[in-house]
Amino acid sequence: MNYDEEGNCIMYTTRDVPAGSPLRMLYGDPTNPSPLFATFGFLDESSPATFCKIMHLQPEMEALGLDYSNLLFYKDTGDISGEVWDVILYSVLAFDAGLQQNFYQAYMSGDMETKQAYHEEYYPFTLEALKQHVDGFLAELDALSAHAYTKDPASHPRLPVILKHNEFVRSTFLAVKSRLDAM
């Protein structure tokens, strides 16, 4: 997209576009509204999922070759992406470098049988770690939102959209909590 000296917008496309057709720009991953909110300052409430917010496990994410786009909680169902379980398990296995390395090898080589065996054996520990994360994050989010409500929106004009984002994340985490509590 460019502008000429007269201020006209000029768009180039990779395929023919019929006259009168709308042109759309993709701002990012439509499954996760948090990066869109952080980068562009708006919230797409139609997003089906959000990043699970396990920023404290960044080294584990990187070790497994994952990023925020892989680690999702789903808004309507409370589903948890398999990659979240993998990162949590990898973290749980840190108590024994040999076990962690064996899981890593199974993960990286696509050995689903070995990976699944680890998940089954350590399920109570990964479940508890994930429950603690969700409960802790919900408490933190509630505290942040409560603090935000003490601020004057006239002095903080982005506050309404921040609170709307927090509510989107909170409702997603509550759906996940409901699912975890039933396990």
Side-chain angles (χ1 to χ4, degrees):
M1 180 167 73
N2 293 310
Y3 295 93
D4 66 16
E5 57 281 343
E6 296 172 14
N8 297 309
C9 180
I10 301 168
M11 298 284 291
Y12 298 94
T13 64
T14 57
R15 59 185 168 83
D16 288 338
V17 177
S21 296
L23 298 177
R24 293 180 172 77
M25 181 180 280
L26 181 63
Y27 287 99
D29 181 3
T31 64
N32 184 359
S34 294
L36 294 173
F37 171 69
T39 304
F40 301 107
F42 64 85
L43 177 63
D44 179 5
E45 294 180 79
S46 69
S47 295
T50 191
F51 169 56
C52 68
K53 314 297 187 209
I54 55 173
M55 284 82 69
H56 64 288
L57 296 180
Q58 183 76 31
E60 291 84 350
M61 291 167 44
E62 291 174 1
L64 296 177
L66 300 171
D67 62 32
Y68 301 124
S69 67
N70 307 107
L71 303 164
L72 299 175
F73 287 165
Y74 290 86
K75 176 180 70 174
D76 295 331
T77 62
D79 286 343
I80 302 160
S81 70
E83 292 87 351
V84 172
W85 290 104
D86 292 338
V87 169
I88 298 289
L89 176 56
Y90 186 71
S91 173
V92 164
L93 294 175
F95 76 92
D96 183 317
L99 288 173
Q100 191 181 45
Q101 182 61 30
N102 288 341
F103 176 76
Y104 174 81
Q105 291 297 332
Y107 181 87
M108 296 308 282
S109 68
D111 180 354
M112 298 304 284
E113 187 177 323
T114 301
K115 190 175 109 166
Q116 187 60 34
Y118 274 99
H119 275 291
E120 289 172 12
E121 184 172 348
Y122 293 96
Y123 175 74
F125 302 102
T126 55
L127 177 62
E128 183 58 30
L130 196 49
K131 282 181 175 183
Q132 287 180 8
H133 167 67
V134 168
D135 290 342
F137 191 82
L138 280 167
E140 184 180 344
L141 191 60
D142 287 346
L144 289 169
S145 293
H147 179 71
Y149 280 115
T150 68
K151 303 296 179 188
D152 178 11
S155 301
H156 303 280
R158 289 179 39 96
L159 200 54
V161 74
I162 290 169
L163 288 168
K164 202 170 197 174
H165 174 265
N166 287 1
E167 186 50 39
F168 176 91
V169 172
R170 185 177 191 282
S171 67
T172 302
F173 269 64
L174 286 173
V176 169
K177 178 178 174 43
S178 177
R179 181 171 284 268
L180 290 172
D181 288 347
M183 293 181 171

